[in-house]
Amino acid sequence: EHGRYENVDTPTQLVYTLQRDDADQTSCVTRVAVEFVDLGGSTRLELEQSGFESEALRDEHAARWPRLIDTLINYLSAI
């Protein structure tokens, strides 16, 4: 997977493309927008990924985000 940053607005927003090239030579390019909302002592992460070619591909990506976010939370908790 690789992509290109479209907008970096520290510390509130990160927008980037995400391109996934599969072994069967198919490619999918989506757009990921992440907002960091200051809640005064904690931060809410709002994530939206768009541009899917099918509902099945959307659902596959949606199933991966919780694990990735949990990994991020664990990392940030440890530093």
Side-chain angles (χ1 to χ4, degrees):
E1 295 181 347
H2 59 278
R4 182 168 305 185
Y5 291 107
E6 293 183 350
N7 187 39
V8 178
D9 185 8
T10 306
T12 60
Q13 184 184 60
L14 177 64
V15 180
Y16 60 96
T17 61
L18 180 62
Q19 181 169 342
R20 184 175 129 187
D21 300 314
D22 291 333
D24 64 359
Q25 303 303 314
T26 60
S27 180
C28 172
V29 179
T30 60
R31 183 173 185 263
V32 179
V34 183
E35 298 278 339
F36 301 95
V37 180
D38 183 358
L39 300 176
S42 64
T43 303
R44 182 177 64 234
L45 184 146
E46 297 177 356
L47 184 141
E48 180 180 328
Q49 187 174 14
S50 59
F52 294 102
E53 297 173 2
S54 69
E55 287 183 19
L57 194 55
R58 179 202 63 203
D59 294 346
E60 180 184 324
H61 280 251
R64 298 163 90 197
W65 280 112
R67 186 181 79 241
L68 293 170
I69 292 170
D70 285 345
T71 300
L72 175 62
I73 290 168
N74 290 336
Y75 172 77
L76 294 174
S77 297
I79 59 173

